[in-house]
């Protein structure tokens, strides 16, 4: 069945704002069995809203109209929709009472203007708003279902889950969209696609999309299945893709890379500290996005300047002088140094040239070294990352997490310290 | 004049992706004098695209169609638009040659399928694509101008700036949109609005919008003015708003808070280090987003665990025991400790309960202390921040920057160490 989403508000036609409510609604509508076939963003003009709604009535089974339910002159969704449907707007005394109570609870007398929010389209079901004054509405017109929802995401989501979802479910027919995802790290988008495309192209009933973000690749497998059925094709495809992509797949259940690495650390009983130069906290911020990360993450050093590399990570001045701050040697010394300073089992470090300035022929913008140290050895990984300052930094943090994941994977397979790539023997431990 | 934007692509109707190209295009079109009155997102179905384009021809002076120009079966913008206009598609041998060369440069023979990208609508001007194989097109039909642009943002932006912008400028008439912005910190959105609304409501020719993000408030003042004219009303309004909002306004030229604070540090000749507990790097990541921040930012400590607070910031164990890690005392000790450890002029710290767990009645989730230390004293600021883990952390970083800005402002006014709020005498400096 076909749904369409209409977002109302001139601010959504400015260069400052996007309609993000439609992502939430699309996910929920897909799950219920509706395909979103069109989204429209229209300004606060009654005739524009009316024209879009009239067109939607001709082509969709379900219409979600977001916004324009506030109390001011700019809020025109109610009269526009009433006009298209040829129905009257009337002030609902029960709704007025609810709005008045909401103001009274804050010790404020309801401004006269808010009475406008109690205007209800004839025949509409009023859906109460637990977080705001604008109630939502559910209307049925010649077999088409229409929901009017307020724009603030918290209000929209609460009303959807409480009142709209059951109504949507009740009128949904046919298949529902089910989703499977594979998250990949350590390969480029085109590497993933060249391995995955020959596989997923054979699954015509599964819609496969590949998205890349911060050096991670996300494969989404969508399949429409009948109620109560398993997405058999998507499950089979996911398993084939896992075979061809190998352990570059770090999650099949939507977990973030930092959550996966965190669970591995917790499982191994090891603790972690980090030393970040060019990323200056972006790696630690990601690690600690995971609630409970204090179980394995102790902290670390923001070694942005050489003075901090020396003072807090114990990197010898001579090493900085001879190899430069951006080098495999310093990356490993930082990893070992932060490990000792924070008394953690593992130390992970990033040092690089994020740009835009500071690049040279030997050490160009985008050059990054990841360092890793345990109680016995240290390793490093060299990357040259394309893009601007922020994407170099974001990807460097991803590579550091991927490097740590690789170490923990190898270790769990009983091959600690015997990795094929770059098994560089470490610098001797400098006592601190 | 009226423009509308049509984004083509079924992936933009999934729960995973938003059309973000329209923000870039809206800004550019507004500057040129076009108001974007409608945005539509349509899937990869020829009849759907055709229907939307046909409707657009009836109501807009300029139509920007994004995406659907790739080489596969799903890429249907060319035939759909040709169909609506009643024009033929023909393969342009010059375009084929360009695409073939682009493949050859990568040492690859052009796949047959890519010839489809050389299909040109009769009468269209072909606009070359410096970054991809899909050329863009510019079409004029009964006074309406139509641009077909590829979806990848880098390609779209390059083609727009190089080939579309001059054509848009040439057909633009009437007024252009000019923008002024005020960035505010240290007030809530409703505090800002209650002061600002009585002022901006009197300026009917200026469209004022207020956005809040991470404890910062952004006021955008848009005014349509004739070519060559200054936006006199917006300029006057901006200056009145600055008067009522006072020095809560940190920028009137679009600079970020971290850039403003960075410039103040550079101007004062002082260096900074940070100690971050619950934010674990988010503050430092923001400070170092500013290129050149190494001039004043030395680094710091990710004092996520108490062991790191003690070992690297020299916070006495007794202080942690008696006051707890989330306390004014520890915030100030962290600020002083990181300052000494990194040998910076100023130390800035954050310690708090980000949640979702870890809250108590005395120290609820969202409780955050900001600490600041200079060579003579230390201060702290207590906040209880609503929201989820990530928003508590993001806002805490903003409050820390705001706290530092306030210190630097007071100092530049010759009132160092004599701030009205919380002039708490510091703990004695613990030698380290």
């Amino acid at each position: 069945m076909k749904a369409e989403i209409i977002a109302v508000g001139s601010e959504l036609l400015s260069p400052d704002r996007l309609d993000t409510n439609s992502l939430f609604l699309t996910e929920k509508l897909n799950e219920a069995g509706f395909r979103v076939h069109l989204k429209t963003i229209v300004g606060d003009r009654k005739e524009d809203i009316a024209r879009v709604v009239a067109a939607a009535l001709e082509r969709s089974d379900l219409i979600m109209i977001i916004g324009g339910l506030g109390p001011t002159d700019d809020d025109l969704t109610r009269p526009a929709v009433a006009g298209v449907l040829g129905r009257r707007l009337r002030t609902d005394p029960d709704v007025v009472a609810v709005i008045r109570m909401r103001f009274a609870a804050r010790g404020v007398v309801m401004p006269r203007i808010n009475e406008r929010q109690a205007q209800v389209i004839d025949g509409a079901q009023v859906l109460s708003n637990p977080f705001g004054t604008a109630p939502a509405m559910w209307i049925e017109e010649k077999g088409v279902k229409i929901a009017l929802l307020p724009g603030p995401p918290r209000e929209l989501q609460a009303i959807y889950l409480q009142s709209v979802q059951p109504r949507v479910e009740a009128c949904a027919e046919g298949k529902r969209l089910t989703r499977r995802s594979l998250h990949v790290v350590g390969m480029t988008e085109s590497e993933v696609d060249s391995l995955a495309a020959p596989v997923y192209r054979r699954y015509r009933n599964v819609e496969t999309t590949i998205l890349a973000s911060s050096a991670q690749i996300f494969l989404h497998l969508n399949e429409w299945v009948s109620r109560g059925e398993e997405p058999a094709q998507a499950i089979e495809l996911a398993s084939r893709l896992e075979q061809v992509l190998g352990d570059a797949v770090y999650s099949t259940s939507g977990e973030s890379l930092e959550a996966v690495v965190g669970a591995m650390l917790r499982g191994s009983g090891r603790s972690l500290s980090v030393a970040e130069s060019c990323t200056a906290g972006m790696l630690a911020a990601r690690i600690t996005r995971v609630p409970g990360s204090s179980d394995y993450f102790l902290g670390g050093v923001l070694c942005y300047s050489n003075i901090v590399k020396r003072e807090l990570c114990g990197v010898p001045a001579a090493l900085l002088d001879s190899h430069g701050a951006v080098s495999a040697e310093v990356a490993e010394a930082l990893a070992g140094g932060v490990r000792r300073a924070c008394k953690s089992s593992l130390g992970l470090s990033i040092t690089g040239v994020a740009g835009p300035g500071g690049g040279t022929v030997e050490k160009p913008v985008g050059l990054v070294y990841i360092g890793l140290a345990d109680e016995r050895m240290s390793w490093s990984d060299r990357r040259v990352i394309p893009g601007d300052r922020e994407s170099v930094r974001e990807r460097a943090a991803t590579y550091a997490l991927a490097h740590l994941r690789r170490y923990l994977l190898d270790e769990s397979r009983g091959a600690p310290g015997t990795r094929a790539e770059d098994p560089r023997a470490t610098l001797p431990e400098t006592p601190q």
Side-chain angles (χ1 to χ4, degrees), chain A:
Chain A
M1 297 180 81
K2 290 161 78 177
E4 82 175 83
I5 298 173
I6 300 168
V8 178
S10 295
E11 74 283 6
L12 299 172
L13 294 169
S14 77
D16 308 311
R17 269 214 212 169
L18 281 174
D19 149 54
T20 52
N21 283 315
S22 67
L23 297 184
F24 169 83
L25 288 179
T26 299
E27 184 170 5
K28 295 297 169 192
L29 293 171
N30 287 170
E31 284 168 11
F34 285 90
R35 188 184 283 270
V36 174
H37 72 112
L38 205 69
K39 297 200 285 193
T40 309
I41 295 125
V42 61
D44 299 310
R45 286 169 54 92
K46 193 171 153 190
E47 57 270 48
D48 288 356
I49 303 169
R51 193 164 51 185
V52 169
V53 173
L57 281 167
E58 301 297 316
R59 63 196 173 203
S60 296
D61 304 302
L62 176 62
I63 308 169
M64 311 294 281
I65 307 174
I66 307 167
L69 299 179
T72 72
D73 292 347
D74 286 348
D75 292 297
L76 295 164
T77 298
R78 280 179 295 259
V81 174
V84 172
L85 300 180
R87 302 195 193 186
R88 285 191 322 157
L89 271 181
R90 57 180 180 77
T91 302
D92 184 322
D94 293 348
V95 179
V96 176
V98 169
I99 298 175
R100 194 167 279 140
M101 265 169 51
R102 178 167 282 276
F103 276 96
R106 288 162 40 202
V108 179
V109 174
M110 183 185 85
R112 176 84 202 212
I113 195 177
N114 284 75
E115 220 172 82
R116 198 181 293 183
Q117 294 187 294
Q119 291 190 335
V120 170
I121 295 170
D122 254 354
Q125 299 170 39
V126 176
L127 314 177
S128 69
N129 181 344
F131 296 124
T133 48
M137 280 178 242
W138 177 267
I139 303 164
E140 310 202 352
E141 172 82 9
K142 296 180 187 143
V144 181
K145 313 293 192 288
I146 308 165
L148 273 57
L149 294 163
R154 197 164 87 113
E155 300 179 24
L156 175 136
Q157 293 179 18
I159 296 174
Y160 186 89
L161 295 174
Q162 182 180 292
S163 307
V164 177
Q165 183 153 282
R167 289 172 169 84
V168 166
E169 294 278 347
C171 67
E173 290 164 17
K175 299 187 167 187
R176 292 159 184 263
L177 191 70
T178 56
R179 291 158 59 78
R180 287 287 184 280
S181 298
L182 275 77
H183 295 192
V184 177
V185 74
M187 297 174 117
T188 65
E189 186 173 4
S190 55
E191 284 166 354
V192 170
D193 198 45
S194 68
L195 289 170
V199 181
Y200 69 68
R201 282 216 193 96
R202 277 179 281 142
Y203 289 76
R204 299 214 155 257
N205 293 329
V206 184
E207 294 163 9
T208 302
T209 57
I210 302 189
L211 302 177
S213 173
S214 294
Q216 295 160 88
I217 314 296
F218 305 100
L219 289 117
H220 295 291
L221 318 180
N222 294 331
E223 184 179 359
W224 293 87
V225 296
S226 302
R227 265 132 232 276
E229 256 182 32
E230 283 284 284
Q233 294 287 298
I235 291 171
E236 187 183 302
L237 172 56
S239 131
R240 296 245 163 116
L241 288 173
E242 271 197 80
Q243 280 166 29
V244 300
L245 298 170
D247 63 14
V249 178
Y250 66 80
S251 170
T252 56
S253 53
E255 284 172 294
S256 67
L257 181 56
E258 48 272 21
V260 168
V261 170
M264 292 171 81
L265 281 168
R266 185 183 276 118
S268 75
R270 314 193 82 172
S271 61
L272 176 70
S273 63
V274 301
E276 301 189 55
S277 182
C278 64
T279 49
M282 294 172 82
L283 171 59
R286 272 176 69 179
I287 292 169
T288 57
R289 218 188 271 165
V290 182
S293 47
S294 56
D295 291 350
Y296 45 82
F297 182 68
L298 301 186
V301 175
L302 298 157
C303 51
Y304 206 59
S305 62
N306 281 354
I307 189 172
V308 176
K309 292 184 182 74
R310 289 196 307 266
E311 297 285 323
L312 294 183
C313 295
V315 179
L319 196 72
L320 284 163
D321 287 345
S322 54
H323 296 280
V326 180
S327 61
E329 290 78 5
V330 168
E332 296 188 28
L334 285 170
V338 79
R339 204 195 133 258
R340 288 187 297 277
C342 296
K343 305 192 192 304
S344 60
S345 332
L346 300 172
L348 183 62
S349 72
I350 301 174
T351 179
V353 188
T360 63
V361 176
E362 298 89 53
K363 300 194 175 178
V365 168
L367 176 67
V368 170
Y369 288 91
I370 311 293
L372 177 64
D374 65 12
E375 61 284 5
R376 297 181 304 116
M377 291 178 74
S378 66
W379 301 264
S380 65
D381 188 22
R382 180 185 188 275
R383 299 269 175 176
V384 181
I385 304 173
D388 63 17
R389 181 175 175 86
E390 277 311 276
S391 44
V392 167
R393 289 170 10 121
E394 276 173 19
R395 292 188 203 188
T398 298
Y399 288 131
L401 288 167
H403 193 67
L404 175 57
R405 174 174 172 268
R406 174 64 47 202
Y407 169 90
L408 293 166
L409 271 182
D410 287 352
E411 222 192 21
S412 69
R413 291 172 188 151
T418 57
R419 298 164 56 240
E421 330 92 90
D422 198 8
R424 173 199 306 267
T426 185
L427 298 157
E429 296 228 324
T430 358
Q432 211 188 9

